Amino acid sequence: MVDLVAFSRRGGMPSVPGSIFRRPLSLALRGLTFRRFSSSSSLPCFPEEDKQNGTAKRDPSHHNRPSFIHPSAIVHPNAILGQGVSIGPFCTIGPSVKLGNACQLYPGSHVFGNTEFGDNCILMIGAVVGDDLPGHTVIGCNNTIGHHAVIGTKCQDMKYKPGTECFLEIGANNEIREHTSIHRSSKPSEITVIGDSNLIMGSCHIAHDCKVGNNNIFANNTLLAGHVVVEDYVHTAGAIVVHQCCHIGSFSFLGGGSVVSQDVPKYMMVSGERAELRGLNLEGLRRRGFPVTEIRSLRAAYRKIFMPSNANSGSIEDRLDRVEQDEELVLVPAVRSMLESIRDCFAEDRRGICKFRSWMGT
């Protein structure tokens, strides 16, 4: 790590970033700048874009690349920069910020508070990360924060007390797109968590104390209220609203425009204005490489639980018991996992399972 050069006046930061151009830097600061970044004129202030997929290229050879800080950027002297960072025009870096190697800030992006980035992170134009609050925001390696996204700021929970520590941790290899907001936790005993390799599309919202796993895809305007748990490989369509404290199981699919007010078990698909179970997420299971035999067993178990052939099949508890006693189905790991996920939905601290249609007699 190397210390940062602060392009700000000793008496405080200028109120208008443009005033830096009207007021020459001191000779000492100017000399230090030229010595440390003597070759920065050949380095762009934001990374070159990959024309094939529209994403910014990450240069792994950051040890051989000089750092760059644009003269109009305001970087606090107590902040810490890794090697090969690039900070564009009109960016702001706070005193408690740590940037990993090869992090790249596009023009007008800002990092505040006790915020730490891993290597090779990119902040697009107008992105804001962190807040001057007790607690911290920690973001892993190889993450992209989209245009005007707001990450790691104060929650919108009315029970939050000013001065209370709050936390956000984000894993690695996530793509967080434009205008998305992800908030810190609401109290010291909680933490908002985002795992690895998630695609969070434009205008999504992840509220305080949510727990999001790995490899999820949230389409535009997916809105998660507080304390929502999303496991792995979940796919949402657009304009999804998930009620607070709901639990969304792995490999499930949430249809577009749905209001999800109760839990969704693993492997299942829900849709509707008030989301109802519509069967298994068969296409998602195939895409994720589930064997045909395992999918066939899941379908058989689903029918026995949610699509009984007669009215004398008993309660859902009775049907779960019968599937668990089926010597063939219970040997299939995915079936056992689905049964456990369904039972968990009825736990005392959970919201119950999403409604399902009655198929008796069909």
Side-chain angles (χ1 to χ4, degrees), residues 252-300:
S252 57
F253 179 85
L254 281 58
S258 300
V259 176
V260 181
S261 56
Q262 292 178 292
D263 293 353
V264 180
K266 287 182 177 180
Y267 312 125
M268 298 191 187
M269 178 172 57
V270 300
S271 65
E273 181 181 353
R274 290 288 176 176
E276 297 180 348
L277 296 182
R278 306 288 181 170
L280 294 172
N281 179 22
L282 296 176
E283 185 60 30
L285 296 176
R286 294 188 190 103
R287 290 180 179 180
R288 295 300 176 187
F290 278 67
V292 173
T293 54
E294 198 164 31
I295 293 176
R296 188 179 297 119
S297 297
L298 283 170
R299 295 183 71 176

Side-chain angles (χ1 to χ4, degrees), residues 113-360:
N114 185 6
T115 299
E116 180 176 348
F117 279 89
D119 296 343
N120 297 303
C121 289
I122 295 174
L123 273 65
M124 304 302 291
I125 293 173
V128 177
V129 179
D131 206 339
D132 291 318
L133 298 169
H136 64 240
T137 297
V138 178
I139 298 177
C141 300
N142 302 313
N143 291 292
T144 298
I145 311 297
H147 300 78
H148 303 283
V150 179
I151 310 297
T153 54
K154 186 177 75 172
C155 68
Q156 296 174 154
D157 187 351
M158 296 297 292
K159 298 186 294 298
Y160 174 78
K161 298 178 181 179
T164 300
E165 287 188 320
C166 48
F167 305 96
L168 167 65
E169 291 187 4
I170 297 178
N173 303 307
N174 296 288
E175 184 173 2
I176 301 170
R177 294 299 299 267
E178 57 275 5
H179 300 285
T180 288
S181 58
I182 303 176
H183 291 166
R184 288 202 212 174
S185 62
S186 60
K187 50 188 177 181
S189 60
E190 291 285 352
I191 182 170
T192 305
V193 178
I194 311 293
D196 301 330
S197 303
N198 296 290
L199 171 57
I200 302 173
M201 299 186 193
S203 301
C204 290
H205 173 64
I206 299 176
H208 59 90
D209 310 305
C210 284
K211 307 292 187 295
V212 176
N214 308 315
N215 300 291
N216 298 293
I217 299 176
F218 295 166
N220 301 72
N221 293 101
T222 293
L223 309 179
L224 306 185
H227 304 278
V228 168
V229 176
V230 180
E231 296 182 359
D232 303 328
Y233 293 101
V234 172
H235 192 169
T236 74
I240 294 295
V241 179
V242 182
H243 192 282
Q244 64 184 12
C245 302
C246 282
H247 194 118
I248 311 299
S250 297
F251 301 99
S252 57
F253 179 85
L254 281 58
S258 300
V259 176
V260 181
S261 56
Q262 292 178 292
D263 293 353
V264 180
K266 287 182 177 180
Y267 312 125
M268 298 191 187
M269 178 172 57
V270 300
S271 65
E273 181 181 353
R274 290 288 176 176
E276 297 180 348
L277 296 182
R278 306 288 181 170
L280 294 172
N281 179 22
L282 296 176
E283 185 60 30
L285 296 176
R286 294 188 190 103
R287 290 180 179 180
R288 295 300 176 187
F290 278 67
V292 173
T293 54
E294 198 164 31
I295 293 176
R296 188 179 297 119
S297 297
L298 283 170
R299 295 183 71 176
Y302 184 93
R303 289 193 183 99
K304 289 177 180 291
I305 298 168
F306 297 108
M307 302 171 64
S309 58
N310 60 72
N312 298 321
S313 58
S315 65
I316 188 171
E317 180 73 25
D318 297 330
R319 299 195 292 272
L320 285 170
D321 289 339
R322 281 197 290 273
V323 173
E324 290 174 341
Q325 294 167 9
D326 189 303
E327 295 181 356
E328 292 185 6
L329 292 178
V330 78
L331 293 177
V332 181
V335 172
R336 294 199 304 270
S337 182
M338 183 178 73
L339 293 171
E340 181 181 1
S341 181
I342 294 171
R343 287 198 178 277
D344 287 344
C345 293
F346 297 104
E348 186 176 351
D349 59 342
R350 298 279 287 272
R351 292 190 54 81
I353 196 170
C354 269
K355 299 294 187 294
F356 52 93
R357 295 182 178 182
S358 174
W359 296 91
M360 293 181 182

